Amino acid sequence: MEFTEWIRGRTDEQLRALVSARPELVTPVPAHLEGLASRAASPSAIARVLDRLDRFTLAVLETLAVLETVPVLEPLEVAGARGEAVAKAALGEVVGRALASGEVEPALSTALHRLHELALVFGPDEALRLAPGVRKALDDPAGLGPPAVEAFRHHPPEQLDELADDIAPGTAGTGKERLAAALSEPGELVGQVSPEARAALDQLAWGPPAGRVPNARREVRIGSARSPIEQLLARGLLAATGEESVTLPREVGVHLRGGRVHRDLGPVPPALEGSARDQQLADRTAAGQAFMFVRAVEELCERWSVDPPGVLRTGGLGVRDMKRTASELDLPEWAASLVVEVAHAAGLLASGGNVDGEWLPTSGYDLWRVRPTEEQWVALATTWLHMDRVPGLVGERDDRDRPLNALHPDLRRSSAPSVRSAVLGVLASAPGLAPTRDSVLDRLAWEQPRRRGPRREQLTEFALREAEQLGVTGLGVLSGHGRALLAGEGAAAALAPLLPEPVDHVLLQADLTAVAPGPLTSELNRWMTLAADVESKGGATVYRFGESSIRRALDAGQGAEELLAMLQRHSATPVPQALSYLVADVARRHGRIRVGTASAYVRCDDPALLDQITADRRSAALRLRRLAPTVIASRSSRAALVDSLRAMGYAPVAESLDGDVIISQLDSRRAEGLPAARVTASPNGGLDPEVTVAAVRALRAGDAAHLARREPVEAPNGQVPRGAATATISTLQDAIRQGVRVWIGYLDSQGNATSRILEPARMEGGYLTAYDETRAAVHRFALHRITGVAGV
């Protein structure tokens, strides 16, 4: 109740700070402040907020927990370390002993302010107390074992009496009380053991406080103790917690630490180490990388719209498809996996197509590609920052030793967004510095010590590598647009001036190649990718025109004149004669042969050409049969027939059942329906300011209603209101007209009588609609189940 009253006494501004820092407390909003206090003390809520504390603030909280449970911590020059309440001065003295350097203030005041704001500590500076549930959540604070009372709780009373008789003869009280009193000052007992036993204590002093020894529960008296462990067990300096497990009581651990709870404690985070970089150079480098990432996503979607890979039965992308994609994008596999995963998470790719499924661009891609480059990048980078998928895990194996492919459902890790945000936060604290990996890990270990582990280190490495690939960082330094991305606004405006200016022309050469002197405009880049093959990339991209690439453009609906006009319009040099001849030759032969469905048929206005096809030995596998002078039928499918004839050197086109040429718009295939739902998470988990204001207002109103509850004036104590049905309906109608609250008796679906405080709104169709103050929600009540009504 004290904690609830403390919560109730917080100002609205303090409550807004609490729910903003701990949004899980108002998801959903409790009915009143008592419910908020109860939720704040729940184990899951406390575990979440403890994970957000830095090392020094967590150390202050752990020290307070130790001072609450250890009756005396000698030598204490300041009073206030007894009982459950601890004075700030006593807390500061103990914390100060653990500092490697520097003064405990003002870091202590800052930490306590933070702990008060998070509702982990309450009370004035003269009597600080842990919030309910915090002590249990900390378990073994600072690596110290449980207090003696808890460490020996499983021992039989007679065994505790014998142990207390040995180490504290002549004292009064139960065995557990006498033992706890003796261990509160264990210096004399520690001095009685052998050097070997003292060495065993020193190994447990700084944690972990537990160990394993054989026959730990056997009864040992001081006079019969022989081994070092027996000496410790006989004096209560070790407590047996199982048949082969022992633990060091907290009081003994504090004594062995010399009155300190922690050692080498730093009130400020460790300094970052690394190489200094010119910020402007880093920004330009990051901008170039951002541009390349956007183009990689665009190229991926264009290629997959032409030749989409299949969806595995287990979900995801096949290993061969991933290798082919990496080769086409000219990227390492990990970088190609990042491109694929970000595009999918951004809703640009989804599974669609036939029964087996294919990975295809979505309609969202068409909207994305017409946006300015800087806005395209912001959409991708924001998705990466918030998504819970981890592209870096592609290629690893799961718990069942199965490979994790790109787009696999098991690539989700809930902690990934918070790690990315934390890593960028570390980089943001050191402008112009490219910190080393170990330096970033050390800083994160200080900022969030409870989240350390191999998986977190791996996610940190992934975040650093991926941030560089996306252009969030340049040369290891957080860029200006990366800083704006982390802040949540202004990233596009910061990136736009740094992006290379796209060019709208190429240089055609006599060897059937075209050189792009810079990044092409989006439309020209798509057209060049369709009509030519990329031969090399770099500062200038080289494209090569060939028969297959020209035919690909013709298949997509382009005409020979359109192709040449496009080349003339976008070339800074005249169109070479060889290229004009190539386009004309391919266009002349393109479409002379038409393939339909019989299974498939071949139709041509030139019977001599069909004679040539049927006489070709390579056509034997197609099982062709002449139906007419200008028509040949085949049992092969239309697609297989087209591919086979092209392999034989012909240039057929497909036609529909109506005889129309099928324009194969291969560059516009899209996944049917809406894009797949994206699972994202906010890296901060914060709430919008308007939401926090509304939540606090609702809490105050609900708490006022909760405190204003009174008994019904017309019902005996402990009973629900009862009355005639006609009087009940009349009273409810009066309450609706007057807008007053009433107390009703109500039978639930099991026939149990309950009482509710309502604010009736309307009555129709045999039901009463009212705000139920008891449940803090609007409900409908069946009139025939209302037993009676009383005033409040």
Side-chain angles (χ1 to χ4, degrees):
M1 289 301 295
E2 293 183 38
F3 179 66
T4 301
E5 292 303 320
W6 181 81
I7 288 285
R8 188 170 283 129
R10 307 294 280 170
T11 65
D12 287 355
E13 182 179 357
Q14 291 170 333
L15 286 178
R16 286 194 293 269
L18 171 62
V19 299
S20 179
R22 301 177 65 179
E24 61 274 7
L25 300 185
V26 289
T27 311
V29 179
H32 38 65
L33 290 175
E34 185 176 329
L36 179 71
S38 176
R39 191 176 297 177
S42 64
S44 59
I46 292 176
R48 285 188 180 186
V49 71
L50 290 179
D51 288 344
R52 301 172 190 149
L53 299 181
D54 61 66
R55 179 176 295 170
F56 183 76
T57 305
L58 181 62
V60 170
L61 191 68
E62 290 178 329
T63 303
L64 183 58
V66 172
L67 290 176
E68 282 191 355
T69 55
V70 177
V72 177
L73 195 58
E74 295 293 348
L76 263 184
E77 299 176 0
V78 183
R82 287 182 178 273
E84 294 185 353
V86 179
K88 177 183 176 181
L91 179 64
E93 181 179 340
V94 178
V95 172
R97 297 173 186 171
L99 295 182
S101 61
E103 298 293 331
V104 71
E105 288 289 355
L108 177 63
S109 296
T110 302
L112 286 176
H113 174 75
R114 177 66 173 161
L115 294 173
H116 275 96
E117 182 181 69
L118 296 173
L120 293 173
V121 171
F122 70 103
D125 288 348
E126 296 75 21
L128 298 171
R129 301 180 62 181
L130 292 178
V134 174
R135 186 184 299 114
K136 184 177 182 180
L138 289 173
D139 196 15
D140 295 335
L144 290 168
V149 174
E150 297 181 15
F152 289 96
R153 68 181 183 276
H154 297 305
H155 288 61
E158 57 274 10
Q159 185 178 353
L160 293 179
D161 290 336
E162 293 177 357
L163 186 58
D165 290 339
D166 277 356
I167 65 176
T171 56
T174 64
K176 183 182 293 187
E177 294 171 349
R178 295 160 62 198
L179 181 60
L183 291 179
S184 64
E185 298 180 7
E188 182 179 351
L189 295 172
V190 172
Q192 296 174 1
V193 301
S194 65
E196 294 81 5
R198 177 58 190 265
L201 287 178
D202 291 338
Q203 288 183 349
L204 299 173
W206 289 102
R212 299 185 66 83
V213 297
N215 301 322
R217 283 199 176 277
R218 65 184 183 277
E219 295 187 21
V220 183
R221 306 298 294 270
I222 292 180
S224 60
R226 295 292 181 268
S227 68
I229 298 300
E230 289 179 349
Q231 296 178 38
L232 300 177
L233 290 171
R235 290 169 175 82
L237 299 176
L238 284 181
T241 56
E243 292 298 331
E244 295 184 351
S245 58
V246 294
T247 189
L248 187 71
R250 183 171 299 178
E251 294 86 344
V252 180
V254 171
H255 171 80
L256 295 173
R257 295 184 181 188
R260 291 183 296 168
V261 177
H262 301 84
R263 61 178 173 182
D264 299 332
L265 187 61
V268 295
L272 292 173
E273 300 177 357
S275 304
R277 308 285 189 191
D278 179 70
Q279 185 64 52
Q280 293 184 351
L281 176 61
D283 288 348
R284 292 195 298 271
T285 303
Q289 194 62 38
F291 182 86
M292 296 303 296
F293 189 83
V294 170
R295 282 301 167 88
V297 171
E298 185 175 1
E299 183 178 354
L300 171 76
C301 293
E302 294 297 331
R303 288 185 179 275
W304 282 15
S305 61
V306 173
D307 185 15
V311 179
L312 298 177
R313 287 183 299 174
T314 57
L317 182 68
V319 175
R320 291 182 179 178
D321 291 326
M322 188 68 252
K323 290 183 180 294
R324 178 171 63 92
T325 299
S327 176
E328 291 173 345
L329 297 180
D330 195 20
L331 291 172
E333 284 194 37
W334 71 264
S337 299
L338 175 64
V339 172
V340 170
E341 285 288 343
V342 171
H344 175 254
L348 308 184
L349 294 174
S351 59
N354 54 25
V355 176
D356 294 332
E358 295 173 317
W359 291 110
L360 288 167
T362 65
S363 57
Y365 166 67
D366 296 313
L367 300 175
W368 174 84
R369 72 180 183 183
V370 299
R371 299 166 65 182
T373 303
E374 60 272 16
E375 294 184 10
Q376 291 177 332
W377 179 82
V378 169
L380 297 174
T382 302
T383 297
W384 168 78
L385 184 61
H386 293 178
M387 71 180 188
D388 60 357
R389 298 184 61 81
V390 183
L393 294 177
V394 173
E396 295 190 4
R397 308 190 78 84
D398 61 11
D399 297 337
R400 299 181 182 179
D401 199 35
R402 296 176 302 185
L404 291 173
N405 300 333
L407 302 178
H408 195 281
D410 291 344
L411 289 182
R412 290 189 171 93
R413 299 293 183 272
S414 59
S415 59
S418 62
V419 172
R420 295 191 190 106
S421 180
V423 169
L424 295 187
V426 170
L427 299 181
S429 66
L433 181 70
T436 62
R437 164 192 169 276
D438 293 339
S439 180
V440 173
L441 289 174
D442 290 342
R443 173 65 70 87
L444 290 177
W446 188 91
E447 291 183 349
Q448 297 173 335
R450 284 171 56 94
R451 293 183 176 178
R452 298 182 64 179
R455 177 62 70 186
R456 185 170 179 80
E457 292 184 6
Q458 185 183 44
L459 292 178
T460 300
E461 295 175 2
F462 290 159
L464 289 170
R465 182 176 68 177
E466 293 168 2
E468 191 76 15
Q469 186 68 24
L470 268 98
V472 179
T473 61
L475 304 175
V477 177
L478 185 66
S479 61
H481 50 275
R483 192 180 301 273
L485 176 74
L486 187 62
E489 57 182 7
L495 176 62
L498 302 173
L499 290 173
E501 191 68 28
V503 297
D504 61 352
H505 65 276
V506 295
L507 306 175
L508 295 176
Q509 303 185 100
D511 61 348
L512 299 181
T513 61
V515 178
L520 299 177
T521 60
S522 180
E523 287 302 318
L524 181 57
N525 179 64
R526 293 181 64 246
W527 188 89
M528 288 297 297
T529 303
L530 177 67
D533 297 319
V534 177
E535 191 167 82
S536 65
K537 295 182 179 180
T541 304
V542 178
Y543 298 88
R544 177 168 294 280
F545 294 95
E547 183 177 341
S548 61
S549 67
I550 296 297
R551 187 170 63 237
R552 186 170 64 230
L554 295 175
D555 286 344
Q558 300 282 334
E561 295 181 358
E562 289 181 83
L563 285 173
L564 292 175
M566 188 74 173
L567 291 172
Q568 291 172 353
R569 186 164 61 251
H570 291 286
S571 175
T573 57
V575 179
Q577 190 178 47
L579 181 57
S580 299
Y581 285 168
L582 176 65
V583 172
D585 181 59
V586 175
R588 177 177 54 81
R589 294 184 291 113
H590 185 267
R592 291 183 64 190
I593 298 176
R594 300 191 175 190
V595 176
T597 302
S599 288
Y601 63 85
V602 180
R603 182 172 68 84
C604 181
D605 295 334
D606 186 358
L609 186 56
L610 294 185
D611 293 339
Q612 181 181 344
I613 292 175
T614 55
D616 196 322
R617 293 181 178 179
R618 293 175 294 176
S619 66
L622 299 177
R623 305 176 71 179
L624 302 176
R625 186 165 63 91
R626 194 72 168 260
L627 298 180
T630 57
V631 181
I632 296 176
S634 173
R635 293 187 180 182
S636 301
S637 66
R638 181 173 60 192
L641 189 53
V642 170
D643 292 341
S644 298
L645 291 175
R646 285 178 176 173
M648 294 165 60
Y650 303 99
V653 296
E655 72 176 15
S656 67
L657 294 175
D658 299 327
D660 298 326
V661 176
I662 296 177
I663 302 299
S664 52
Q665 292 282 1
L666 296 179
D667 62 332
S668 61
R669 289 189 62 191
R670 295 293 178 260
E672 298 179 0
L674 297 175
R678 303 194 301 265
V679 179
T680 59
S682 170
N684 307 329
L687 293 176
D688 186 90
E690 295 182 359
V691 176
T692 61
V693 171
V696 171
R697 185 183 299 118
L699 283 168
R700 289 293 191 194
D703 198 57
H706 177 68
L707 295 176
R709 286 184 179 177
R710 291 188 293 272
E711 294 294 326
V713 297
E714 301 172 8
N717 292 334
Q719 297 182 12
V720 299
R722 296 186 180 276
T726 53
T728 296
I729 293 176
S730 176
T731 304
L732 290 175
Q733 290 174 339
D734 292 340
I736 292 173
R737 286 193 298 269
Q738 299 173 15
V740 298
R741 291 181 299 162
V742 294
W743 190 299
I744 70 168
Y746 193 72
L747 298 177
D748 59 19
S749 57
Q750 285 77 33
N752 299 319
T754 61
S755 59
R756 313 283 185 90
I757 298 178
L758 307 180
E759 292 184 14
R762 65 177 180 272
M763 189 165 46
E764 58 185 4
Y767 285 90
L768 170 69
T769 302
Y771 174 77
D772 186 354
E773 181 187 309
T774 313
R775 303 293 189 271
V778 175
H779 284 294
R780 297 181 71 201
F781 300 89
L783 290 175
H784 68 275
R785 289 187 175 180
I786 299 177
T787 62
V789 181
V792 178

